Amino acid sequence: MVIRIAAVGDVHLDQDVVGRFRPALEQLPDVADVLLLAGDLTRHGTESEARCVATEFGNLGVPVVAVLGNHDHHCDEVPAVIRVLEDAGIQVLEGTNVVLDCFGTRLGIAGAKGFGGGFAGRCASAFGEPEMKAFVGTTSAIADQLGEALREMECDLRVALTHYAPVPDTLAGEPLEIYPFLGSYLLGQAIDSAPTDLALHGHAHAGSERGTTPGGVRVRNVAHPVIKQAYSVFHLHPRRAGASAGKVSASSAPGRS
Ligand SMILES: [Fe+2]
Ligand SMILES: [Fe+2]
């Protein structure tokens, strides 16, 4: 059984964007078993923008699972944004997980927004001022939650969903100076702490699509400006007994947004 995972991030919806993705989304049940949204669903994180997300991504005929992004936090309306999304049937993860039954295959998805800090050899550390300790401590706490959410799932396929990047590979194309604000190696460590089959993220609009964690987990940046289509679809093959990892066999999408 192949599980088909559609994913996109950074759709940044507001009134003027509603309807852009819908034609491709109408085909979703034919090409995917689940849709994952990798954050920055809204432009400024308002309740009214969340209603646009609900209109665009509600009632698709497949389960929709999301994490929020930094834009979705901007107006401090996160509880209202989550309520609107969940009322539309979009499950929002933050250091939590969900296991979906896909035709008898247990698809586990653990999600968290993530945060910044940078990557090995070029990263912030929890040293000095309390503000710096708080910054790094925030990322560390989120990464710990993500790792636990990944490890505790009993499933046949395990996917990590974040907004911030877990590796620098998928930031290629972004200015080096902003890498510490685009992701953290701590997220990569969390992903590697479980037998994760695929890691999806957004946030890096000018980044690139493909990367790998130090532990060998495939990472894909599904930010809409990167994939340039309504969603990408990944085909995952559940691991066989004794196999080291599930296999990601394809990435394609039927629709342009
Ligand atoms: Fe974004
Ligand atoms: Fe972002």
Side-chain angles (χ1 to χ4, degrees), residues 15 19 30 68 70-71 75 77-78 85 97 103-105 107 153 168 173 181 186-187 204 211 228 243 250:
Q15 294 284 356
D30 296 331
L68 299 185
N70 54 314
H71 280 248
C75 282
E77 296 182 19
V78 167
L85 297 182
N97 57 41
F103 310 104
T105 297
L107 171 63
M153 290 189 291
F181 306 105
L186 295 171
L187 300 172
K228 296 182 172 60

Short mmCIF file of all heavy atoms in Angstrom, two decimals, residues 15 19 30 68 70-71 75 77-78 85 97 103-105 107 153 168 173 181 186-187 204 211 228 243 250:
data_model
loop_
_atom_site.label_atom_id
_atom_site.label_comp_id
_atom_site.label_asym_id
_atom_site.label_seq_id
_atom_site.Cartn_x
_atom_site.Cartn_y
_atom_site.Cartn_z
N GLN A 15 -8.21 37.73 1.75
CA GLN A 15 -9.36 37.77 0.83
C GLN A 15 -8.95 37.70 -0.63
O GLN A 15 -9.60 37.04 -1.44
CB GLN A 15 -10.15 39.07 1.07
CG GLN A 15 -10.82 39.17 2.42
CD GLN A 15 -12.08 38.32 2.50
OE1 GLN A 15 -12.49 37.72 1.51
NE2 GLN A 15 -12.68 38.26 3.67
N GLY A 19 -9.53 31.20 -3.43
CA GLY A 19 -9.93 30.64 -4.72
C GLY A 19 -8.76 30.26 -5.59
O GLY A 19 -8.91 29.47 -6.53
N ASP A 30 -8.37 12.41 -5.57
CA ASP A 30 -7.93 11.49 -6.62
C ASP A 30 -6.43 11.22 -6.55
O ASP A 30 -5.95 10.23 -7.09
CB ASP A 30 -8.24 12.08 -8.01
CG ASP A 30 -9.73 12.24 -8.23
OD1 ASP A 30 -10.50 11.46 -7.64
OD2 ASP A 30 -10.12 13.16 -8.97
N LEU A 68 1.08 25.90 12.45
CA LEU A 68 1.08 27.34 12.19
C LEU A 68 2.49 27.80 11.88
O LEU A 68 3.47 27.12 12.18
CB LEU A 68 0.52 28.10 13.39
CG LEU A 68 -0.92 27.77 13.80
CD1 LEU A 68 -1.37 28.70 14.93
CD2 LEU A 68 -1.88 27.86 12.62
N ASN A 70 5.13 31.59 11.60
CA ASN A 70 5.34 32.86 12.30
C ASN A 70 4.31 33.91 11.89
O ASN A 70 3.84 34.69 12.72
CB ASN A 70 6.77 33.38 12.08
CG ASN A 70 7.15 33.50 10.62
OD1 ASN A 70 6.91 32.58 9.84
ND2 ASN A 70 7.75 34.61 10.25
N HIS A 71 3.90 33.93 10.62
CA HIS A 71 2.88 34.90 10.19
C HIS A 71 1.55 34.65 10.91
O HIS A 71 0.81 35.60 11.19
CB HIS A 71 2.68 34.82 8.68
CG HIS A 71 3.72 35.57 7.91
ND1 HIS A 71 3.46 36.71 7.20
CD2 HIS A 71 5.05 35.33 7.78
CE1 HIS A 71 4.58 37.15 6.63
NE2 HIS A 71 5.57 36.33 6.96
N CYS A 75 -0.54 38.66 14.78
CA CYS A 75 -1.53 39.54 15.43
C CYS A 75 -2.01 39.01 16.78
O CYS A 75 -3.00 39.51 17.32
CB CYS A 75 -2.72 39.78 14.50
SG CYS A 75 -2.36 41.00 13.22
N GLU A 77 -3.53 36.39 17.63
CA GLU A 77 -4.89 35.84 17.62
C GLU A 77 -4.85 34.32 17.43
O GLU A 77 -5.78 33.73 16.87
CB GLU A 77 -5.73 36.50 16.51
CG GLU A 77 -5.93 38.00 16.71
CD GLU A 77 -6.80 38.64 15.63
OE1 GLU A 77 -7.54 37.91 14.93
OE2 GLU A 77 -6.73 39.87 15.49
N VAL A 78 -3.78 33.70 17.93
CA VAL A 78 -3.58 32.26 17.69
C VAL A 78 -4.77 31.41 18.15
O VAL A 78 -5.23 30.54 17.39
CB VAL A 78 -2.26 31.78 18.31
CG1 VAL A 78 -2.18 30.26 18.35
CG2 VAL A 78 -1.08 32.33 17.52
N LEU A 85 -9.81 27.25 12.19
CA LEU A 85 -9.30 26.14 11.37
C LEU A 85 -9.90 24.82 11.80
O LEU A 85 -10.33 24.00 10.96
CB LEU A 85 -7.77 26.08 11.46
CG LEU A 85 -6.99 27.30 10.93
CD1 LEU A 85 -5.50 27.08 11.04
CD2 LEU A 85 -7.38 27.61 9.49
N ASN A 97 0.65 15.16 18.02
CA ASN A 97 0.65 14.24 16.88
C ASN A 97 -0.75 13.71 16.62
O ASN A 97 -1.66 13.87 17.43
CB ASN A 97 1.64 13.09 17.11
CG ASN A 97 1.34 12.32 18.39
OD1 ASN A 97 0.18 12.05 18.69
ND2 ASN A 97 2.37 11.97 19.13
N PHE A 103 -6.41 3.27 4.91
CA PHE A 103 -6.64 1.94 4.32
C PHE A 103 -5.85 0.86 5.05
O PHE A 103 -5.24 -0.02 4.43
CB PHE A 103 -6.28 1.96 2.82
CG PHE A 103 -6.91 3.11 2.08
CD1 PHE A 103 -6.14 4.21 1.71
CD2 PHE A 103 -8.27 3.11 1.80
CE1 PHE A 103 -6.72 5.28 1.05
CE2 PHE A 103 -8.85 4.18 1.15
CZ PHE A 103 -8.08 5.26 0.76
N GLY A 104 -5.81 0.96 6.38
CA GLY A 104 -5.13 -0.06 7.18
C GLY A 104 -3.69 0.28 7.52
O GLY A 104 -3.08 -0.38 8.36
N THR A 105 -3.13 1.28 6.88
CA THR A 105 -1.77 1.74 7.21
C THR A 105 -1.88 2.90 8.19
O THR A 105 -2.65 3.85 7.97
CB THR A 105 -1.02 2.21 5.94
OG1 THR A 105 -0.87 1.10 5.07
CG2 THR A 105 0.35 2.77 6.30
N LEU A 107 -0.66 6.11 9.52
CA LEU A 107 0.20 7.25 9.16
C LEU A 107 0.28 8.18 10.36
O LEU A 107 -0.71 8.80 10.75
CB LEU A 107 -0.39 7.99 7.96
CG LEU A 107 0.29 9.32 7.61
CD1 LEU A 107 1.75 9.12 7.21
CD2 LEU A 107 -0.49 10.04 6.51
N MET A 153 4.53 7.87 18.88
CA MET A 153 3.49 7.34 17.99
C MET A 153 3.73 5.87 17.67
O MET A 153 4.86 5.46 17.42
CB MET A 153 3.46 8.13 16.67
CG MET A 153 2.94 9.53 16.81
SD MET A 153 2.69 10.33 15.21
CE MET A 153 4.38 10.53 14.64
N PRO A 168 19.93 22.95 6.99
CA PRO A 168 20.27 24.09 6.12
C PRO A 168 20.16 23.77 4.63
O PRO A 168 20.07 24.70 3.82
CB PRO A 168 21.73 24.41 6.51
CG PRO A 168 22.27 23.12 7.02
CD PRO A 168 21.12 22.38 7.64
N GLY A 173 19.74 29.22 -1.39
CA GLY A 173 19.03 30.25 -2.16
C GLY A 173 18.67 31.44 -1.29
O GLY A 173 18.50 32.56 -1.77
N PHE A 181 17.38 32.61 11.39
CA PHE A 181 15.97 32.95 11.59
C PHE A 181 15.05 32.04 10.78
O PHE A 181 13.83 32.20 10.81
CB PHE A 181 15.72 34.42 11.21
CG PHE A 181 16.63 35.35 11.95
CD1 PHE A 181 17.71 35.94 11.31
CD2 PHE A 181 16.44 35.60 13.30
CE1 PHE A 181 18.56 36.78 11.99
CE2 PHE A 181 17.29 36.43 13.99
CZ PHE A 181 18.37 37.03 13.34
N LEU A 186 18.29 21.89 16.05
CA LEU A 186 17.61 21.15 17.12
C LEU A 186 16.37 20.43 16.58
O LEU A 186 16.01 19.35 17.07
CB LEU A 186 17.22 22.10 18.26
CG LEU A 186 18.39 22.74 19.00
CD1 LEU A 186 17.90 23.82 19.96
CD2 LEU A 186 19.20 21.68 19.74
N LEU A 187 15.72 21.03 15.59
CA LEU A 187 14.57 20.35 14.97
C LEU A 187 15.04 19.10 14.22
O LEU A 187 14.38 18.06 14.25
CB LEU A 187 13.85 21.31 14.01
CG LEU A 187 13.29 22.59 14.65
CD1 LEU A 187 12.77 23.53 13.56
CD2 LEU A 187 12.19 22.27 15.65
N ALA A 204 11.00 29.03 4.21
CA ALA A 204 12.11 29.51 3.38
C ALA A 204 11.63 29.70 1.95
O ALA A 204 11.80 28.84 1.08
CB ALA A 204 13.27 28.52 3.44
N GLY A 211 16.46 18.17 0.93
CA GLY A 211 17.54 18.08 1.90
C GLY A 211 17.46 16.77 2.65
O GLY A 211 16.56 15.96 2.43
N LYS A 228 5.99 26.07 -6.25
CA LYS A 228 5.35 26.75 -7.39
C LYS A 228 4.14 25.99 -7.93
O LYS A 228 3.89 25.97 -9.14
CB LYS A 228 6.36 27.01 -8.51
CG LYS A 228 7.48 27.96 -8.10
CD LYS A 228 8.42 28.23 -9.26
CE LYS A 228 9.43 29.31 -8.93
NZ LYS A 228 10.30 29.01 -7.78
N ALA A 243 13.16 -3.52 7.92
CA ALA A 243 13.70 -2.47 7.06
C ALA A 243 14.03 -1.25 7.90
O ALA A 243 13.42 -1.00 8.93
CB ALA A 243 12.70 -2.10 5.98
N ALA A 250 8.25 9.33 -4.79
CA ALA A 250 7.91 10.27 -5.85
C ALA A 250 7.44 11.59 -5.28
O ALA A 250 6.96 11.66 -4.16
CB ALA A 250 6.81 9.67 -6.73
#
